């Protein structure tokens, strides 16, 4: 059974979505404010959060960032605004996926299972730690180390690093990363990817101009290779 925290202030939408999720066999805890949601994720483990962005007490992107400060639970944001800049802003704030309101329960179910499948695929790909140069990536423990020192990464940063490391030495196209890590199929140029990559670079102590591990292949994608 999947446990879902539903954050939605509109009682009509809240009960409709709760019904839909319960109908899919999930355990749902509905709350109406960002503060309640933050209290819940700090106290219990959920498999997934569905976060409405139009909440009475806090801007949705701020709520998302605060949630990210507490835990790494997958988050699907529900937004009333279908504009690309807004969606990119949310993905950059740590959302795993988004739904544009109003959405059907079929659409919700599809997004939910895609997010859970991606979260589990990363967990299930359990193997020996990957070693590339001084970089060690332990997929089971979701830990990255550089020269023995732990590198603290967000879930998305870790997923991106692990994805590239599993294909070390190969150029991974931008579209493949966007499709597999962000569920944005058919996109080629997205600042979400660049933002996460630049954070990752910074945490690995390198710069785009002088890469050690993360190499940009202009117009194509990225490649992770051991420092020469
Ligand atoms: Ca709302």
């Amino acid at each position: 059974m999947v446990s879902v925290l539903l954050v939605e202030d509109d009682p009509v939408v809240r009960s409709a979505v709760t019904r839909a999720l319960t109908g899919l066999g999930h355990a749902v805890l509905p709350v109406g404010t960002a503060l309640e949601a933050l209290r819940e994720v700090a106290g219990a483990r959920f498999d997934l959060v569905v976060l409405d962005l139009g909440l009475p007490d806090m801007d949705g992107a701020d709520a998302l960032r605060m949630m990210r400060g507490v835990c790494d639970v997958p988050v699907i944001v529900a937004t009333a605004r279908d504009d690309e800049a807004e969606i990119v802003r949310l993905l950059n704030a740590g959302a795993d996926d988004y739904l544009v309101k109003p959405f059907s329960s079929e659409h919700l179910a599809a997004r939910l299972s895609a997010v859970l499948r991606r979260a589990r695929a990363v967990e299930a790909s359990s193997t020996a730690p990957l070693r590339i140069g001084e970089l060690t990536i332990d997929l089971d423990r979701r830990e990255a180390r550089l020269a023995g020192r732990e590198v603290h990464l967000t879930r998305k940063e870790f997923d991106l690093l692990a994805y590239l490391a599993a294909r070390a030495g190969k150029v991974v196209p931008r579209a493949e990363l966007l499709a597999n890590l962000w569920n944005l199929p058919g996109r080629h140029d997205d600042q979400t990817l660049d933002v996460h990559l630049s954070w990752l670079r910074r945490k690995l102590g390198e710069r785009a101009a002088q890469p050690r591990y993360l190499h940009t292949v202009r117009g194509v994608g990225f490649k992770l290779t051991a420092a020469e």
Side-chain angles (χ1 to χ4, degrees):
M1 188 184 271
V2 171
S3 61
V4 181
L5 176 66
L6 170 65
V7 194
E8 168 63 66
D9 61 317
D10 182 329
V12 175
V13 178
R14 189 166 63 223
S15 54
V17 176
T18 301
R19 256 197 318 277
L21 290 170
T22 310
L24 293 166
H26 303 319
V28 187
L29 177 67
V31 297
T33 64
L35 281 178
E36 282 174 275
L38 290 168
R39 202 160 47 224
E40 290 299 335
V41 294
R45 211 189 117 83
F46 293 90
D47 295 311
L48 189 95
V49 174
V50 177
L51 176 66
D52 170 37
L53 290 175
L55 292 170
D57 58 334
M58 201 184 289
D59 172 65
D62 290 341
L64 182 59
R65 264 186 219 101
M66 288 177 74
M67 202 173 271
R68 279 284 162 263
V70 180
C71 68
D72 248 358
V73 62
V75 176
I76 298 178
V77 291
T79 172
R81 290 169 54 190
D82 185 13
D83 73 82
E84 175 144 339
E86 173 69 1
I87 288 162
V88 165
R89 187 173 81 98
L90 295 166
L91 293 171
N92 288 345
D96 290 83
D97 209 339
Y98 63 93
L99 282 161
V100 177
K101 289 179 158 187
F103 51 82
S104 65
S105 57
E106 289 77 16
H107 200 168
L108 170 65
R111 286 298 168 106
L112 192 132
S113 59
V115 166
L116 291 172
R117 198 167 53 237
R118 291 203 300 278
R120 282 177 187 150
V122 175
E123 276 165 27
S125 57
S126 131
T127 42
L130 302 167
R131 286 176 215 284
I132 298 109
E134 291 188 307
L135 192 60
T136 308
I137 296 149
D138 188 324
L139 298 171
D140 292 340
R141 300 166 72 177
R142 296 186 61 81
E143 272 179 14
R145 289 178 180 275
L146 182 61
R149 259 204 311 276
E150 186 169 359
V151 183
H152 295 281
L153 301 175
T154 65
R155 191 159 45 80
K156 275 293 174 207
E157 290 161 5
F158 183 87
D159 291 348
L160 177 57
L161 180 65
Y163 196 94
L164 292 172
R167 295 155 185 81
K170 294 198 187 98
V171 180
V172 181
R174 299 176 69 92
E176 180 179 335
L177 293 166
L178 289 168
N180 289 330
L181 297 177
W182 279 275
N183 193 25
L184 292 170
R187 298 270 281 276
H188 298 273
D189 194 73
D190 197 294
Q191 63 145 292
T192 300
L193 186 49
D194 293 310
V195 167
H196 282 82
L197 203 94
S198 77
W199 286 333
L200 191 52
R201 274 201 172 112
R202 199 172 312 162
K203 290 185 179 179
L204 293 179
E206 61 181 60
R207 292 183 298 124
Q210 276 181 305
R212 290 184 67 213
Y213 290 95
L214 294 167
H215 302 264
T216 300
V217 182
R218 204 163 290 282
V220 185
F222 303 100
K223 180 172 74 168
L224 191 146
T225 55
E228 276 140 35

